[in-house]
Amino acid sequence: MDLINIHRGVMIEKIKIAVCQMKVVDNKEKNIENAVNMIKEAAINLSNIIILPEMFNCPYDNQKFLEYAEKRSNSKTLKYISRTARNYGVYIVAGSIPESYKNNIYNSSFTFNNHGQIVAVHRKLHLFDIEIPGSIIFKESDTLSAGDNLTVFDSEYGKIGVAICYDMRFPEIFRLMAVDGAELIVVPGAFNMKTGPDHWEVLIRSRAVDNQVFMVAASPARNEELSYVAYGNSMIVNPWGDVLARAGSHEEMIYADIELSELEKVRRELPLLKNRRTDIYDVIKK
Amino acid sequence: MDLINIHRGVMIEKIKIAVCQMKVVDNKEKNIENAVNMIKEAAINLSNIIILPEMFNCPYDNQKFLEYAEKRSNSKTLKYISRTARNYGVYIVAGSIPESYKNNIYNSSFTFNNHGQIVAVHRKLHLFDIEIPGSIIFKESDTLSAGDNLTVFDSEYGKIGVAICYDMRFPEIFRLMAVDGAELIVVPGAFNMKTGPDHWEVLIRSRAVDNQVFMVAASPARNEELSYVAYGNSMIVNPWGDVLARAGSHEEMIYADIELSELEKVRRELPLLKNRRTDIYDVIKK
C-alpha cells in the first residue's frame, strides 16, 4: 500500500483492489465463513476495496435463490460482511445475494464502507434469460425481479459504479455511469462455460476501452458440482483496456494497485467522451 | 457461391463477403488500379459484397487529403469503382476517400450496387484526434469536416450499416444502426500500430456481440513507408463474436460465407435487443 493511503483527509492516489474469486457451495454458512476469511486475507494484504462475486452466498440456481433469500433488515450474510468491513477498515463490494424485499426476490449487491455502513445497493437491472439448446438454458426471470436504478456512488477513493453480470451486456448503462462520473466500475458476474470463454473478456475490456474507466469483474470459482458452472477468470482492467490481473478457474485472490488519475491521462490522449457526437445521438436516462 | 444466389427475386440466403486489404501508396492512379484488380479477383471468386479499406486511394495524411480530394461529380476514383461494380455485378463498399464538397473535405464512404449506382454515402461522423506523446499524434480535424448522419441502407442481401474507423469507438451508433435493422455493419478503418494491437479486435468483436450483427472491418495493409502506418488485421466477425476471417499485416484478400439468418438464431437464444431496459434508458437520435 502506498503511504499516501494512511493519511486521512488527503486525496488518495493509489488504491489496492482485491477480488475474492471464492468457490460457492450449497451451504450458506460455509459461504459466509469463506467470504469473511478471504476478505480478511485481502485486508491483511493491505487492500482498500475488496470485491466478492455474484451470488457469493448461494448457488446460482433458481430454487436456491428462493431458499437462500434474506431480508436486508435481518440478513445474517450482510451482518457478517458489515462487521468485517468495520473491523478491518475496508470497503467491500459484496458481490450479490438473493434479497427478499416485499414480495419479490432481487439479485442485489450491497457495498459497505470502511465503517461497515451500507453506502450503495444495486439490484440487477437485466434478468438473465438464455436458451441455447444443448448448451445452456437458464431463466432468472422465473424467480427474480429486476431493479430499476443505475448505481454510482461517491467514496473516499473516487466514484464507483456497480452492475451485475448480465447488466454488462448493455453498453448504455456503462456509458451513463461514466458520464455520471464513475471512475471504477465493479461487476460481480457469473458467466458460464459457454458465454464465459466466448464473451467475458471482450465485454469487460470493451466497457473499459469505450468509457476509459477501470473495470473489475468478480466471478465465483468454477464448481463442477453445482447445476450452473461459473467460468471464473475474474479480472481487473485499466482504462486503456489492459488486463492488470486475471484469475484462473479455481478459488483464488487477485490484486491490482491502481491510480484513478490514470483516467485523466487516457482521456487527454484520446478524448472519447468529449468526442461523442451528442448533437447527433445520446444515451439518456428516463 | 451458393446456387440460391443466382436466382433473382428469391431471398438470398448465403453471401460471400470479401475484404481487400490493399497496400495504399502515395500515387492515386496506382491505388485505383490496385483496388480495381483486387475487386476483380474477389468477383472472380464469386464474392457478393466487396469491401475496400479507409482512404484506399490516398495515404492517411492530412496534407495528402487536401491533394487527393475529389468531388463526387468528377471523381476518377468513383468512376472506376462504379464501372467495376457494374461490369462484375457486385456490391462494393468503397472504403473511403477524401471527398471535396462545397468548401470542406470529408472522409467519405460510397457504396455501389451491382449496377454501379451509388446507394449510400457515409461521411465519417467522429474525427480522429489523438495525442499520445512518444507514440502517435494525429489530428484529422486539422483538415477534415465531420458528417452528420448515421448510414443504414437496404440491399438485396439485407440491411447494411456503414461507419468509418474512429466511429467504431462510439457504441451508441452501433446500437442505433442495429435497432434500425442493420444486419451487417461495415467499418473501413485504419487503426495504427498503437491502437491496432490494443483495441482493434476488442472493438470489432464487442460491437458484434452487443448488437448481434455481422461486423466487417477493412484496414489498409501495413506500409512502413507512409507517415501513418495502418495495423492491417482486417476481420469478418459473426453475431456471436467469432472471428470468421482475419488478415495479417500484408496485402491480401480475406473471405467469409455468411448467412444473415444467423442473427435470428443468436437473438432467439440470447435476446439482448429485447432485454434492453428502455424503460430506464435509451439511445436516441437527435
Side-chain angles (χ1 to χ4, degrees):
Chain A
M1 186 173 71
D2 201 80
L3 275 177
I4 207 163
N5 240 332
I6 51 175
H7 298 290
R8 299 267 160 201
V10 297
M11 206 183 123
I12 294 167
E13 290 276 345
K14 293 208 176 176
I15 309 170
K16 188 183 275 273
I17 303 281
V19 178
C20 309
Q21 181 169 292
M22 51 176 285
K23 185 169 180 178
V24 175
V25 296
D26 188 7
N27 181 319
K28 190 193 285 184
E29 282 63 36
K30 283 200 176 156
N31 290 328
I32 295 173
E33 190 188 340
N34 194 12
V36 167
N37 284 335
M38 291 185 86
I39 293 167
K40 284 183 187 174
E41 184 186 326
I44 288 165
N45 285 324
L46 302 174
S47 305
N48 305 111
I49 303 176
I50 301 170
I51 295 141
L52 298 175
E54 185 182 20
M55 292 291 178
F56 71 90
N57 73 343
C58 171
Y60 195 82
D61 178 305
N62 274 315
Q63 188 53 43
K64 302 293 175 187
F65 297 158
L66 298 172
E67 283 175 34
Y68 279 60
E70 296 175 330
K71 285 189 182 164
R72 175 174 168 169
S73 55
N74 61 359
S75 160
K76 186 174 173 181
T77 308
L78 297 180
K79 193 181 71 181
Y80 274 94
I81 301 299
S82 166
R83 186 184 296 169
T84 312
R86 190 175 64 244
N87 286 349
Y88 288 86
V90 291
Y91 264 73
I92 301 173
V93 183
S96 76
I97 62 170
E99 179 206 10
S100 180
Y101 179 72
K102 293 184 177 168
N103 290 319
N104 297 321
I105 299 176
Y106 296 89
N107 185 337
S108 300
S109 178
F110 293 83
T111 297
F112 297 85
N113 68 12
N114 49 7
H115 306 290
Q117 297 156 327
I118 291 173
V119 290
V121 184
H122 180 71
R123 291 183 174 137
K124 192 173 186 175
L125 266 174
H126 303 84
L127 297 180
F128 179 53
D129 289 346
I130 187 169
E131 187 170 351
I132 304 181
S135 175
I136 174 87
I137 296 176
F138 196 93
K139 290 213 181 308
E140 213 175 33
S141 60
D142 282 350
T143 53
L144 299 185
S145 298
D148 285 326
N149 291 296
L150 298 181
T151 303
V152 176
F153 62 94
D154 272 312
S155 77
E156 63 195 281
Y157 300 108
K159 257 188 157 174
I160 301 175
V162 179
I164 300 177
C165 199
Y166 195 48
D167 289 340
M168 191 153 67
R169 289 192 175 270
F170 301 87
E172 293 92 338
I173 65 169
F174 289 82
R175 183 64 102 206
L176 285 169
M177 288 192 278
V179 168
D180 207 17
E183 298 161 285
L184 164 69
I185 301 181
V186 176
V187 185
F191 274 39
N192 54 64
M193 295 306 296
K194 171 68 179 162
T195 59
D198 291 351
H199 296 158
W200 177 248
E201 180 185 336
V202 73
L203 292 178
I204 298 166
R205 290 187 57 225
S206 73
R207 302 301 174 241
V209 169
D210 288 345
N211 299 294
Q212 305 181 310
V213 294
F214 284 93
M215 285 283 297
V216 180
S219 171
R222 207 170 292 170
N223 182 351
E224 312 273 359
E225 287 165 20
L226 300 179
S227 64
Y228 181 99
V229 180
Y231 175 54
N233 286 274
S234 297
M235 225 173 276
I236 305 171
V237 174
N238 75 13
W240 189 253
D242 302 320
V243 178
L244 301 179
R246 178 177 190 148
S249 59
H250 298 297
E251 180 164 286
E252 64 175 300
M253 306 283 318
I254 59 169
Y255 297 95
D257 292 304
I258 69 171
E259 292 188 51
L260 292 183
S261 60
E262 197 178 328
L263 268 72
E264 289 159 40
K265 179 175 166 284
V266 169
R267 290 175 181 185
R268 192 171 54 242
E269 292 176 343
L270 189 64
L272 291 183
L273 291 175
K274 206 177 82 184
N275 288 168
R276 286 174 303 141
R277 291 292 306 274
T278 51
D279 56 325
I280 308 287
Y281 59 78
D282 209 352
V283 186
I284 55 159
K285 241 183 276 190
K286 286 189 173 170
Chain B
M1 186 173 72
D2 201 78
L3 277 177
I4 207 164
N5 240 333
I6 52 176
H7 298 291
R8 298 268 159 199
V10 297
M11 203 182 123
I12 294 166
E13 291 276 346
K14 293 208 178 176
I15 308 169
K16 188 184 276 270
I17 302 281
V19 178
C20 309
Q21 181 170 291
M22 52 177 285
K23 185 169 180 178
V24 175
V25 295
D26 189 7
N27 180 320
K28 190 193 284 185
E29 281 62 38
K30 282 200 177 157
N31 290 328
I32 295 173
E33 190 188 340
N34 195 12
V36 168
N37 284 336
M38 291 186 85
I39 293 167
K40 284 182 186 173
E41 183 186 326
I44 289 165
N45 284 324
L46 302 174
S47 305
N48 305 111
I49 303 176
I50 301 169
I51 295 142
L52 298 175
E54 186 183 19
M55 292 292 177
F56 71 90
N57 73 343
C58 172
Y60 195 83
D61 178 304
N62 274 314
Q63 188 53 42
K64 302 293 175 188
F65 297 158
L66 298 171
E67 283 174 34
Y68 280 60
E70 297 174 331
K71 285 190 181 163
R72 175 174 168 170
S73 55
N74 62 359
S75 159
K76 186 173 174 182
T77 308
L78 297 180
K79 192 181 72 182
Y80 274 95
I81 301 299
S82 165
R83 187 185 295 168
T84 313
R86 188 174 67 244
N87 287 349
Y88 288 87
V90 290
Y91 264 72
I92 300 172
V93 183
S96 75
I97 62 170
E99 180 205 10
S100 180
Y101 180 71
K102 294 185 177 167
N103 291 319
N104 297 321
I105 300 176
Y106 296 89
N107 185 336
S108 301
S109 178
F110 293 83
T111 297
F112 297 85
N113 68 11
N114 49 8
H115 305 290
Q117 296 156 327
I118 291 172
V119 291
V121 184
H122 179 72
R123 291 185 175 135
K124 193 172 185 175
L125 267 173
H126 302 84
L127 296 181
F128 179 53
D129 288 346
I130 188 170
E131 187 170 352
I132 304 181
S135 174
I136 173 88
I137 296 176
F138 197 92
K139 292 216 181 307
E140 213 174 34
S141 60
D142 281 350
T143 53
L144 299 184
S145 298
D148 285 326
N149 291 296
L150 298 181
T151 303
V152 176
F153 61 94
D154 272 313
S155 77
E156 63 194 284
Y157 300 108
K159 256 188 159 173
I160 300 174
V162 179
I164 300 177
C165 199
Y166 195 49
D167 288 341
M168 191 153 68
R169 289 192 174 271
F170 301 87
E172 293 91 339
I173 66 169
F174 289 81
R175 183 64 104 207
L176 284 169
M177 287 192 277
V179 168
D180 207 18
E183 298 162 286
L184 164 69
I185 301 180
V186 176
V187 185
F191 274 39
N192 54 64
M193 295 307 296
K194 171 67 179 161
T195 59
D198 291 350
H199 296 157
W200 177 248
E201 179 184 336
V202 73
L203 292 178
I204 299 166
R205 289 187 57 226
S206 73
R207 301 301 172 242
V209 168
D210 289 345
N211 299 294
Q212 305 180 312
V213 294
F214 284 93
M215 283 284 296
V216 180
S219 171
R222 207 169 293 170
N223 183 350
E224 313 273 358
E225 286 165 22
L226 300 178
S227 64
Y228 181 99
V229 181
Y231 176 53
N233 286 274
S234 297
M235 227 174 273
I236 305 171
V237 174
N238 75 12
W240 189 254
D242 303 319
V243 178
L244 302 179
R246 177 176 189 149
S249 59
H250 297 298
E251 180 164 286
E252 64 174 300
M253 306 283 319
I254 59 168
Y255 297 95
D257 293 303
I258 68 170
E259 292 188 51
L260 293 182
S261 60
E262 198 178 327
L263 267 71
E264 290 159 39
K265 177 174 167 285
V266 170
R267 291 175 180 185
R268 192 170 56 243
E269 291 176 343
L270 188 65
L272 291 183
L273 290 175
K274 206 176 82 185
N275 288 168
R276 284 173 303 141
R277 291 292 305 275
T278 51
D279 56 326
I280 308 288
Y281 59 78
D282 208 352
V283 186
I284 56 158
K285 241 182 280 191
K286 287 190 173 172

